[in-house]
């Protein structure tokens, strides 16, 4: 398989699942208060401020695709996973709205974040509405009680991961209270992996999968989520703003303890000592990014991400499922890992 094939395969899978999910997602958002619904539509890239229709960059669609594929892994038709796909997409967007407020990120996908476009209070309200809508979407679906419990558990992990991420910013770069790479991975599993695992598990649950398959898919998604978060952190440190939609070196500017930087500080190389001194003095972020790479932070972080991707595929290999569903899910997970190469 060529590099182009690796990129095209997950895109084709995501597009197929998005086409199936989009009408139900739009119908759900249409049930919101008109003003709140406008903010939700803005966050999805469907409209501009004021409600005029536009086609702006939306999300990657990864979570909704995982939910649809989870149902297919269970041997159910893809439509069985649509309520799960809608719910996880709503929850993901809710988390981004609140995340941007907490982090003070003014830009999301190349446009003003919702809190900058509408105000902080309205953005929080819109996030709350999306969360409530996600719960209602699952509660009124077949198997709703079990699905809501599964989502609730994942949200608890997501909140814990987000709390740790916020607390990391106030901890020192060095010394006994520094953030360690093992702590980072636990944080990333909660902040990002919990919802990816939940996406797969919810789709499988609504598709009638056994508890063992649901649990195995949850583990696979969590491993993939850590790989996904690490790749995002690498892009947040060295990525092109034209691709990421965010300012260059944004994570370093916000003093985020990302794995590339934490790994660089743990390397023991001469560049690590210079990096620590620069970070503790709130020095030049471009210079910090260069030193982090010189200390091996990018290489070490991407190695961890590849290991997590391999673990996700290993979990998938233990599950007996329809061949096409396995192929599509493997392509999607491999696409996540491809971002780390």
């Amino acid at each position: 398989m060529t590099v182009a094939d690796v990129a095209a395969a997950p895109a084709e899978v995501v597009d197929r699942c998005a086409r199936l999910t989009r009408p139900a997602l739009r119908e759900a958002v249409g049930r919101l208060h008109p003003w709140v619904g406008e903010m939700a539509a803005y966050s999805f890239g469907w409209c501009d401020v004021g409600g005029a229709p536009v086609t702006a960059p939306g999300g990657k669609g990864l979570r909704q695709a995982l939910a649809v594929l989870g149902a297919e892994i269970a041997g159910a038709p893809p439509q069985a996973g649509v309520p799960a796909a809608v719910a996880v997409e709503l929850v993901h967007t809710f988390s981004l709205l609140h995340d941007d407020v907490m982090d003070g990120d003014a830009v999301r996908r190349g446009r003003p974040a919702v809190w900058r476009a509408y105000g902080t209070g309205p953005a929080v309200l819109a996030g709350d509405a999306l969360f409530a809508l996600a719960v209602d979407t699952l509660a009124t679906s077949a198997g709703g009680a079990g699905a809501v419990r599964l989502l609730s558990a994942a949200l608890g992990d997501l909140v814990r991961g987000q709390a740790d991420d916020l607390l990391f910013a106030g901890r020192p770069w060095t010394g006994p209270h520094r953030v360690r790479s093992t702590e980072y991975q636990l944080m990333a599993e909660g902040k990002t992996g919990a919802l990816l695992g939940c996406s797969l598990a919810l789709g499988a649950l609504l598709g009638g999968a056994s508890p063992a398959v649901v649990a195995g898919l949850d583990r696979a998604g969590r491993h993939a989520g850590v790989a996904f978060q690490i790749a995002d952190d690498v892009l947040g440190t060295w990525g092109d703003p034209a691709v990421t939609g965010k300012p260059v070196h944004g994570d370093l500017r916000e003093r985020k303890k990302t794995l590339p930087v934490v790994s660089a500080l743990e390397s023991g190389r001469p560049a690590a000592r210079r990096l620590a001194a620069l970070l503790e003095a709130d020095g030049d972020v471009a210079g910090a990014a260069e030193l982090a790479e010189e200390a091996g932070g990018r290489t070490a972080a991407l190695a961890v991400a590849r290991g997590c991707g391999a673990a996700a595929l290993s979990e998938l290999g233990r599950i007996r499922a329809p061949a096409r569903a396995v192929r599509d899910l493997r392509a999607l997970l491999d696409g996540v890992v491809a971002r780390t190469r």
Side-chain angles (χ1 to χ4, degrees), residues 236-250:
T237 304
W238 294 284
D240 181 353
V243 176
T244 65
K246 292 189 175 185
V248 67
H249 308 319

Side-chain angles (χ1 to χ4, degrees), residues 45-222:
W46 302 341
C47 76
D48 211 337
V49 175
V54 296
T55 302
K60 301 176 182 70
L62 174 61
R63 291 155 191 83
Q64 59 183 304
L66 289 174
V68 171
L69 292 175
E72 293 181 334
I73 288 287
Q79 290 81 0
V82 168
V86 170
V88 297
E89 195 67 16
L90 292 170
V91 165
H92 175 54
T93 305
F94 135 72
S95 72
L96 294 182
L97 265 62
H98 285 195
D99 199 30
D100 286 343
V101 170
M102 288 184 285
D103 292 344
D105 287 340
V107 177
R108 169 69 61 181
R109 297 165 186 155
R111 297 203 298 168
V114 173
W115 71 271
R116 285 301 299 264
Y118 290 88
T120 300
V124 172
L125 177 65
D128 292 343
L130 290 174
F131 169 65
L133 185 59
V135 173
D136 181 69
T137 298
L138 286 181
T140 55
S141 68
V148 170
R149 285 195 296 271
L150 189 59
L151 178 65
S152 177
L155 284 171
D157 289 342
L158 186 154
V159 168
R160 280 188 287 273
Q162 183 67 59
D164 284 339
D165 191 34
L166 289 172
L167 288 170
F168 284 176
R171 288 170 60 180
W173 292 105
T174 59
H177 300 297
R178 71 188 186 279
V179 176
R180 291 166 171 78
S181 57
T182 51
E183 291 180 279
Y184 168 93
Q185 291 178 59
L186 287 173
M187 177 278 295
E189 182 182 332
K191 179 181 175 181
T192 305
L195 191 54
L196 263 64
C198 180
S199 301
L200 273 171
L202 274 178
L205 179 68
L206 297 186
S210 70
V213 169
V214 171
L217 289 174
D218 181 70
R219 289 192 297 271
R222 285 171 179 265

Side-chain angles (χ1 to χ4, degrees), residues 173-305:
W173 292 105
T174 59
H177 300 297
R178 71 188 186 279
V179 176
R180 291 166 171 78
S181 57
T182 51
E183 291 180 279
Y184 168 93
Q185 291 178 59
L186 287 173
M187 177 278 295
E189 182 182 332
K191 179 181 175 181
T192 305
L195 191 54
L196 263 64
C198 180
S199 301
L200 273 171
L202 274 178
L205 179 68
L206 297 186
S210 70
V213 169
V214 171
L217 289 174
D218 181 70
R219 289 192 297 271
R222 285 171 179 265
H223 287 307
V226 177
F228 191 88
Q229 183 62 57
I230 293 170
D232 265 11
D233 288 348
V234 169
L235 290 172
T237 304
W238 294 284
D240 181 353
V243 176
T244 65
K246 292 189 175 185
V248 67
H249 308 319
D251 285 351
L252 276 169
R253 193 170 289 106
E254 294 168 16
R255 297 183 60 83
K256 285 193 173 183
K257 307 300 192 295
T258 61
L259 189 63
V261 176
V262 170
S263 297
L265 292 170
E266 290 178 344
S267 71
R269 298 182 182 182
R273 292 191 289 274
R274 299 200 302 275
L275 173 62
L278 188 62
L279 291 171
E280 288 172 342
D282 287 331
D284 174 48
V285 292
E290 291 179 6
L291 286 170
E293 182 152 23
E294 185 180 339
R298 190 205 296 243
T299 300
L302 292 178
V304 173

